[in-house]
Amino acid sequence: MNIDRKEQMKLISLIVVLAIILLFIGYIMVGYINSKKVDNPKVTITLKNKGQIVLELYPNIAPNTVANFLALVNSGYYNDKIVYGKDINVIHFGRSKDGQESPAKLKDIGINENGNGEEKYSIKGEFKKNGITNDLQHKKYVVSMSRADYTQIIGSLKTQSYNSANGLFNIVMEEDTALDGNYAAFGKVIKGQEILDKLFKEDTVVKEDKDNRLLLKRFKNVVEIEKVETDSKVLPKVDWIKAFDLDKFLTEEFKKQDQKSKGKN
C-alpha cells in the first residue's frame, strides 16, 4: 500500500512538472508570435454626413508610399478635400473642393529645407512595372495611389509617369487585374465598406454610358472629407523626388523642334 502511494505521488509530481514546462513553453511561444505581429498603421477618413472609413496600411508592401500617405495625413493635407468621383472600377479621393487637383508640397510631408517647402514633389511608384515588387492585388476595397500617364501625350515618358504619384489616391470597388503591377497598392478598407458601396452607386455629373465608362466622372453631389487621422505614432521619412513639369518639358521640346526646323532652312 505504501509503495502504491509513493508511485502515485511520483506520478502526480511528474504531471505537475510537465504542466509547468508546457505552460512555460506556451508563454514563450505566445511572446514569440506577438513579437512577429506587424502593427499596421490605421487611417480613419471622416466623410461629412456619411460616416467613417478605416484603412489599414501595409508598410511591408509599399513602405515609401505608406510613409508619404501618413505624412500627408499627419499634416492635415486631406482635411477639407473631397471624394471627387468614380470610374468603372474605383472611387477617386483627394481633390480640392473646386474639383481641381491640388498637388501636395514638400511642406505637407514635413520638409522645408532652404525654403523649398512650397515645391511640388513626387514619389517613386512602388509596383512591378517600375522595378519594385508589390504583390497586393487590386481587389475590392484595396487602396492604391493615383498617378499621371504622360505616355498618352508622348509615348517615351514612361518613367516620368510611373514616378508621378503625389497625394491623390483611389479605392478599388471592382477587382481590376489590369491595375496590378502598374499602380502602387498600399492598403485596404477594414471598416465602412457599406459607405463606399452606397457612394459607388451615386450619380455623376456626366451620366455613364458605354462610351465613357472608363473615364473619371465627378459625383453630382459633393462628398466632403471632413478630416483624416492616423493612429500611427511613427512617421517614417519620405523618399521624395522632384516633380516632373510637363509644361516645361513640352515647351523645351517645341523649342528643339523649332530650332531643327530653322536649321534645315
Side-chain angles (χ1 to χ4, degrees):
M1 190 73 177
N2 290 335
I3 295 174
D4 290 342
R5 178 101 180 146
K6 288 180 179 179
E7 291 297 326
Q8 286 178 358
M9 292 303 294
K10 285 182 180 180
L11 182 60
I12 291 171
S13 298
L14 180 60
I15 291 172
V16 171
V17 170
L18 287 174
I20 293 172
I21 291 172
L22 288 172
L23 285 172
F24 180 73
I25 292 174
Y27 178 79
I28 295 297
M29 289 301 295
V30 169
Y32 176 78
I33 292 170
N34 287 336
S35 70
K36 292 297 181 181
K37 285 183 179 179
V38 177
D39 188 16
N40 291 321
K42 311 294 188 301
V43 168
T44 301
I45 302 173
T46 302
L47 301 180
K48 188 174 182 179
N49 301 323
K50 292 188 180 296
Q52 293 184 327
I53 299 165
V54 180
L55 315 179
E56 181 179 54
L57 310 184
Y58 303 129
N60 59 316
I61 293 176
N64 195 52
T65 304
V66 169
N68 178 65
F69 192 73
L70 289 175
L72 292 176
V73 169
N74 187 63
S75 71
Y77 168 77
Y78 291 111
N79 297 346
D80 298 321
K81 296 282 195 304
I82 64 170
V83 184
Y84 178 77
K86 66 177 182 178
D87 65 18
I88 188 174
N89 292 320
V90 307
I91 296 176
H92 185 65
F93 287 72
R95 295 197 183 200
S96 54
K97 289 182 178 179
D98 60 4
Q100 299 298 309
E101 294 184 15
S102 180
K105 299 175 181 178
L106 286 175
K107 65 179 183 181
D108 296 316
I109 56 172
I111 296 174
N112 190 6
E113 301 167 355
N114 300 319
N116 66 351
E118 293 296 325
E119 290 183 18
K120 299 174 185 177
Y121 74 96
S122 296
I123 57 173
K124 186 173 182 178
E126 293 180 305
F127 48 85
K128 187 175 181 179
K129 281 282 184 70
N130 205 29
I132 298 176
T133 300
N134 184 332
D135 296 325
L136 183 59
Q137 297 176 315
H138 285 76
K139 294 183 177 181
K140 191 172 184 178
Y141 303 131
V142 162
V143 187
S144 183
M145 288 303 291
S146 179
R147 64 171 177 82
D149 185 5
Y150 301 125
T151 61
Q152 294 181 354
I153 301 171
I154 298 179
S156 62
L157 296 177
K158 282 187 179 182
T159 299
Q160 291 85 347
S161 299
Y162 291 164
N163 299 326
S164 61
N166 177 266
L168 301 178
F169 66 97
N170 301 312
I171 294 179
V172 180
M173 297 303 296
E174 297 288 347
E175 182 176 358
D176 191 348
T177 57
L179 300 176
D180 296 341
N182 289 291
Y183 291 84
F186 65 98
K188 73 175 181 180
V189 180
I190 59 172
K191 183 180 178 182
Q193 293 92 334
E194 71 284 353
I195 296 173
L196 293 168
D197 291 338
K198 291 179 182 178
L199 193 55
F200 196 56
K201 295 176 182 177
E202 289 203 6
D203 291 334
T204 52
V205 173
V206 178
K207 189 173 181 179
E208 185 174 298
D209 58 37
K210 63 179 182 179
D211 295 322
N212 67 17
R213 291 181 73 223
L214 296 175
L215 299 177
L216 181 63
K217 297 170 286 295
R218 184 171 184 173
F219 287 126
K220 185 178 291 186
N221 298 316
V222 176
V223 182
E224 295 184 25
I225 300 173
E226 285 190 341
K227 61 181 178 179
V228 183
E229 303 169 290
T230 179
D231 67 349
S232 179
K233 300 294 188 288
V234 179
L235 295 175
K237 184 179 179 181
V238 180
D239 186 11
W240 61 275
I241 55 178
K242 188 174 179 64
F244 175 67
D245 190 333
L246 179 62
D247 292 336
K248 182 178 179 181
F249 175 84
L250 292 176
T251 298
E252 291 175 351
E253 287 297 304
F254 288 142
K255 285 182 179 178
K256 290 177 183 178
Q257 294 298 324
D258 186 51
Q259 289 173 355
K260 286 182 179 179
S261 298
K262 288 179 179 179
K264 290 180 180 179
N265 295 330

